[in-house]
Every structure is written in structure tokens, then in C-alpha cells.
């Protein structure tokens, strides 16, 4: 089975929102990554709309549909966002915890606390009823108690939070304990016929041990790809300006 890459383009919208201009365009970003082989576009419509806006969801979906690729909408269990998801009907929804004060999603959903568990369970059931064609994944820690709770819900996949692993990798710490946890998570999820995805904090280097240990069938990667794209393009754009300026004198 080929391994899928979902590219999260939220931070193209972050740059756009920082200037309040119409560029950079998330639609163009979606087109470029799909043109270059990405298997899915991932966007997170946050309650505070700090990057992706409501109008982007529909606009990006037009691009994914044109390429015949899935749109994966990340979202919290929030009524207003759930309504947008139902109206959009993306191929995938990834439910995540969301706190306004956080810089980014900081960890997996809490399914152990009864109130949270009920909220996630009810959201899954509601989404499955309203948009039955949409697959659901839950963003979770590789914790067996949490995964057992997840397996009792109507879901198609679990996306394992790899943020702590990715940080440990970058800092040169021992990553074995994460690989062991991910293997156990994978074995459990596959025994329940739940697909195994991964995401958060991954880079071109830190994804390698996960790939070579054959742990996940899908990876959703955003921040590092957008950051690295700056450096792979910055020289070329500077050069374009200098070539243009060379045609003129002052
Ligand atoms: N998966 C989920 C559920 C996320 O919340 C995020 C961040 O929006 C990602 C993947 C991508 O993480 P990163 O931008 O760190 O690659």
C-alpha cells in the first residue's frame, strides 16, 4: 500500500492573515501541492479563525475535487464549525482538541474524561448521521486506554499525535519509547479495523524512522513543509528581482 501525504496549508493562510491581503492564496497553495503529488489537503478551521477562513474551506474543496483528492478538515467539537463541516461534506474530518490560547494543537483529544468522551462520541455520531460519506479520524495520543475508548466510537481512523516524538527527534533524544508506543497503537488499531494516521511537528528527517518502521499509512504535515518551502524558494525570488533591476539604471 502506498503511504499517503496530506499537506496542511494552514500557514499559507497565517501569512495572508498577517498582512490582511489576498495573498498568498491558499487555493494556489492547494493546487501546487496537489500538482506535485500530495495525496490530500488538510486544513484546520479554528474557532478563532486565526488562519483558515470559512470561505477558504469551500475554495480549497473546489481544488481538491478538481484533482480528485480528499479534503481533510481538522476541527474541534464546536457547533458552529460542525455546521460548516456538514454543509461542506469533506472526504475526511479529523477531530482535534482546541484551546484559544494555544499556538497550535498541543496534544490528542481527552477521551478518558466522561464529559469530553461524550462530546466526541456525540459529534462522531452526528457527523456520521448528517454526512455519512465523510470519514472521521480522531487526533489522539498513542495511549492504549485512550485508543480503547476511541475504538468504541464510530470512526474510520486515528491520527496519532507525533509532536512529542518530533521534538525528541530534533533534540537528539532517544526516540525508541515513541516507536514502541506507536507499534502497540498500530497493532491495537488494526485489530479493530481502524486506520492509523500520524501528524504534528514532523520534518523530512523525523518522518524517516516512522516510515522505516512501517507505522502509519498517512501523514499530515504542515508547518515544516511551509517553512522549508520558503528557503527552497527565497533564493530564486531574490534572483528574479535582481535580474529585473539589472535592466534599469538610476
Ligand atoms: N495533524 C493535526 C491533527 C494537526 O492539528 C496539525 C497541526 O494543525 C497537523 C497534523 C500538522 O502539524 P504540523 O503543522 O506541525 O506539521
Amino acid at each position: 500500500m502506498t503511504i499517503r501525504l496530506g499537506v496542511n496549508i494552514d500557514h499559507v493562510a497565517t501569512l495572508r492573515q498577517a498582512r490582511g491581503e489576498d495573498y498568498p492564496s491558499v487555493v494556489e497553495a492547494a493546487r501546487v501541492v496537489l500538482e506535485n503529488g500530495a495525496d490530500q489537503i488538510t486544513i484546520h478551521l479554528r474557532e478563532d479563525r486565526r488562519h483558515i477562513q470559512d470561505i477558504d474551506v469551500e475554495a480549497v474543496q473546489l481544488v481538491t475535487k478538481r484533482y480528485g483528492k480528499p479534503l481533510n478538515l481538522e476541527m474541534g467539537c464546536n457547533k458552529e464549525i460542525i455546521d460548516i463541516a456538514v454543509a461542506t461534506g469533506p472526504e475526511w474530518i479529523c477531530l482535534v482538541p482546541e484551546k484559544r490560547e494555544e499556538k497550535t494543537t498541543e496534544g490528542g483529544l481527552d477521551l478518558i474524561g466522561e464529559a469530553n468522551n461524550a462530546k466526541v462520541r456525540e459529534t462522531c455520531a452526528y457527523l456520521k448521521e448528517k454526512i455519512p460519506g465523510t470519514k472521521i479520524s480522531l487526533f489522539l495520543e498513542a495511549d492504549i486506554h485512550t485508543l480503547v475508548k476511541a475504538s468504541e466510537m464510530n470512526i474510520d481512523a486515528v491520527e496519532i499525535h507525533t509532536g512529542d516524538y518530533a521534538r525528541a527527534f530534533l533534540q537528539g533524544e532517544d526516540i525508541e519509547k515513541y516507536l514502541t508506543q506507536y507499534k502497540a497503537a498500530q497493532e491495537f488499531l488494526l485489530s479493530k479495523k481502524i486506520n492509523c494516521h500520524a501528524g504534528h511537528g514532523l520534518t523530512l528527517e523525523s518522518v524517516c524512522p516512522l516510515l522505516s518502521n512501517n507505522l502509519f499509512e498517512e501523514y499530515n504535515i504542515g508547518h515544516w513543509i511551509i517553512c522549508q518551502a520558503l528557503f527552497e524558494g527565497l533564493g530564486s525570488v531574490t534572483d528574479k528581482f535582481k535580474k529585473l533591476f539589472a535592466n534599469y539604471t538610476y
Side-chain angles (χ1 to χ4, degrees):
M1 188 195 300
T2 54
I3 295 163
R4 291 195 302 278
L5 171 67
V7 178
N8 180 315
I9 57 170
D10 289 348
H11 295 306
V12 175
T14 302
L15 285 176
R16 181 193 62 192
Q17 297 307 109
R19 281 292 286 262
E21 302 286 353
D22 289 338
Y23 66 90
S25 155
V26 289
V27 164
E28 181 61 2
R31 188 195 66 74
V32 169
V33 297
L34 290 174
E35 195 61 45
N36 284 279
D39 302 293
Q40 163 169 283
I41 298 293
T42 295
I43 49 177
H44 184 172
L45 183 64
R46 296 186 72 103
E47 282 170 43
D48 64 9
R49 311 298 202 274
R50 69 175 71 157
H51 39 56
I52 295 294
Q53 305 296 303
D54 297 17
I55 197 172
D56 294 327
V57 178
E58 217 176 300
V60 169
Q61 192 183 34
L62 285 175
V63 185
T64 53
K65 280 204 184 307
R66 185 153 24 100
Y67 280 83
K69 295 283 167 70
L71 172 65
N72 176 32
L73 182 65
E74 292 174 1
M75 52 182 261
C77 297
N78 164 280
K79 176 79 178 88
E80 189 191 358
I81 307 289
I82 291 170
D83 287 344
I84 293 170
V86 167
T88 308
E91 285 74 14
W92 278 89
I93 285 176
C94 180
L95 293 179
V96 301
E98 201 174 298
K99 289 195 233 112
R100 283 192 180 235
E101 61 279 13
E102 69 192 358
K103 286 203 183 93
T104 179
T105 316
E106 286 167 351
L109 288 160
D110 167 20
L111 300 184
I112 304 297
E114 214 11 80
N116 266 318
N117 184 299
K119 196 162 146 193
V120 175
R121 190 165 3 94
E122 283 158 20
T123 303
C124 290
Y126 182 78
L127 290 169
K128 282 289 181 190
E129 182 202 327
K130 296 287 176 191
I131 39 175
T134 295
K135 292 186 176 161
I136 299 177
S137 68
L138 301 182
F139 189 52
L140 302 176
E141 299 300 323
D143 159 60
I144 199 70
H145 301 294
T146 300
L147 298 178
V148 168
K149 295 281 182 195
S151 70
E152 294 161 359
M153 298 185 190
N154 190 356
I155 58 167
D156 303 278
V158 163
E159 181 170 320
I160 297 290
H161 172 234
T162 51
D164 296 336
Y165 155 80
R167 197 166 300 113
F169 182 97
L170 281 183
Q171 291 170 356
E173 291 167 12
D174 189 11
I175 55 165
E176 269 322 302
K177 75 167 186 195
Y178 296 100
L179 300 179
T180 307
Q181 278 170 14
Y182 296 167
K183 191 81 208 154
Q186 180 196 37
E187 276 168 16
F188 174 76
L189 290 169
L190 294 183
S191 77
K192 299 286 178 189
K193 305 213 169 355
I194 296 172
N195 291 336
C196 230
H197 302 172
H200 215 277
L202 295 171
T203 69
L204 198 58
E205 283 191 348
S206 62
V207 78
C208 291
L210 308 182
L211 289 169
S212 58
N213 281 280
N214 193 22
L215 291 167
F216 303 104
E217 67 168 290
E218 177 181 304
Y219 294 85
N220 287 294
I221 308 179
H223 186 251
W224 195 84
I225 291 183
I226 302 304
C227 293
Q228 187 61 17
L230 292 178
F231 292 111
E232 297 199 12
L234 198 52
S236 139
V237 178
T238 304
D239 184 54
K240 279 189 181 146
F241 271 93
K242 284 303 287 178
K243 287 206 169 97
L244 173 70
F245 285 11
N247 296 324
Y248 300 88
T249 51
Y250 175 70

